[in-house]
Each structure stands twice: as structure tokens, then as C-alpha cells.
Amino acid sequence: MTQGDSSTATREWIELKTSGDLLAARPDHDLLAMITVFAPGLQHGHIILRELTTRDGKRTLLLTAPDEVLAHVQRATLYTRGLDEDMVLFENVHGRWERRQSQLLIVASPTARDESTESLRAFPVKTLGFYWLLESSSTPTAISHSPEATSARTLMGGEMIWGFLPSVFGIALFVIFRILSRYIHKVPKLREP
């Protein structure tokens, strides 16, 4: 897999709220319905969620938090919606990719008129960090992207060249038209007696 060079990156700041013995974050995200964190001694905090879809359609998630939050985190669970059952999550733990299977949950959400259900897939993880969502037939050796290579440049959806390319083309067109304009206006002056 390659680093993403499209503009499909999303970034969201999510507040952690106490929910029993856990802290819960509910992102406004199409894939993640909820994140729960077991962090004894922590009363509040926040998480930053970054998601990127690569050119070949693979999805990555990066969950980061301030050091005072990370120091308390002992485990977390990512609750996803809309995933096929053959999808697995690969978590980078100390430089190794560990495979995480999902557990299917049927959640009832009663409303005033009727009761609707939603199916979620829960992925238990050891800590907040970098994750790949892949089909179960994929192997972690196919992952060439590491969290150390993740930067603001790659998370925002591409290489810096794509940001500078429109400016370079604009400058080149300006120079070409300037030369052409000077030539067009100079030729009639040379023909005058």
C-alpha cells in the first residue's frame, strides 16, 4: 500500500465523556460510531481522529491524544458501522502489526414510535494509535505504511507537490503569456517607418 495522495482525509477533535468506568467519545463520522477508552484515574480529555482513504480504497485511522490522556489508557474499543464481516483491523503495537477481529453487536435504539436496531462491529485494541482496516484475506506484510511515516502532510491527503503544482503551472503560464504579449506588441513597432 502507498501513502495517500488524494484529498480524502478527515480530521476530528472528539471530547471524552465519562460513562461508568469508561470514557466514551462519539465522533461525527461515517465509519466510527463510538470509541470507548478504559483509562483509570482520568476524568476528561479529548481524542483527535484522523482518517484517510488511500488511492486503492484502503482506510486508515489514527487516534491521538495528549500525553496526559495516553498515560492513563489501558485499552480501547472502536465501534464501527457499515463494515463487511470479513473486515479486520490491524493495530501497530511496538512496531508489529497485530490483527484484531471484530465482534458483532446489535444495538437497539428506541424512539417515540418504534424501536430500530443498528449493527455495529467492535474492535478491541490495546491503545490509541494507528490502524488499517483491511479484508481478512490481507496480511500485515502487505502494509508498508508505518505510523512513524505519518505526518501532517500525508494525513491531509497527499504529497506537497500537489499543493505547489497549481502555483507552478500558473507562474509558467504567466511567463509564457508575458513573452508572447511582448513579442506581439514589439513586432508592429519594428514595422513602423
Side-chain angles (χ1 to χ4, degrees):
M1 290 179 229
T2 59
Q3 294 182 12
D5 349 15
S6 63
S7 59
T8 58
T10 61
R11 179 179 170 157
E12 185 178 352
W13 186 93
I14 316 159
E15 185 179 352
L16 289 167
K17 296 182 180 177
T18 305
S19 177
D21 292 336
L22 301 173
L23 293 170
R26 297 185 185 274
D28 182 23
H29 194 261
D30 67 327
L31 177 66
L32 282 176
M34 184 171 62
I35 303 162
T36 57
V37 177
F38 180 64
L42 188 66
Q43 299 302 316
H44 58 83
H46 71 274
I47 295 175
I48 297 175
L49 163 66
R50 295 177 182 104
E51 187 250 342
L52 177 68
T53 303
T54 62
R55 270 188 279 174
D56 51 356
K58 306 289 189 291
R59 293 180 92 165
T60 66
L61 297 171
L62 178 63
L63 294 175
T64 57
D67 291 339
E68 56 270 12
V69 173
L70 289 175
H72 290 86
V73 174
Q74 293 185 6
R75 66 178 181 272
T77 305
L78 310 180
Y79 296 88
T80 62
R81 63 168 78 91
L83 282 183
D84 294 332
E85 66 179 83
D86 68 336
M87 295 298 282
V88 294
L89 183 135
F90 286 96
E91 177 185 11
N92 191 288
V93 180
H94 304 298
R96 291 189 38 178
W97 291 102
E98 295 187 10
R99 182 186 185 126
R100 305 286 184 232
Q101 296 292 109
S102 67
Q103 297 174 347
L104 179 64
L105 302 172
I106 305 297
V107 180
S109 52
T111 60
R113 296 185 181 168
D114 57 26
E115 188 173 300
S116 61
T117 60
E118 180 182 20
S119 61
L120 300 176
R121 295 204 165 272
F123 291 96
V125 293
K126 289 189 176 179
T127 187
L128 303 177
F130 189 75
Y131 315 101
W132 278 96
L133 284 163
L134 302 170
E135 293 178 4
S136 60
S137 59
S138 300
T139 61
T141 56
I143 301 172
S144 63
H145 181 83
S146 66
E148 290 78 23
T150 302
S151 67
R153 176 175 55 90
T154 58
L155 288 172
M156 290 316 293
E159 297 178 15
M160 286 177 32
I161 187 82
W162 295 110
F164 289 115
L165 212 49
S167 299
V168 170
F169 282 135
I171 292 169
L173 284 174
F174 174 76
V175 169
I176 291 170
F177 284 125
R178 174 89 171 149
I179 292 170
L180 186 61
S181 174
R182 293 193 83 182
Y183 176 75
I184 290 171
H185 289 91
K186 194 174 190 179
V187 170
K189 287 183 180 180
L190 294 175
R191 290 185 185 165
E192 291 178 2

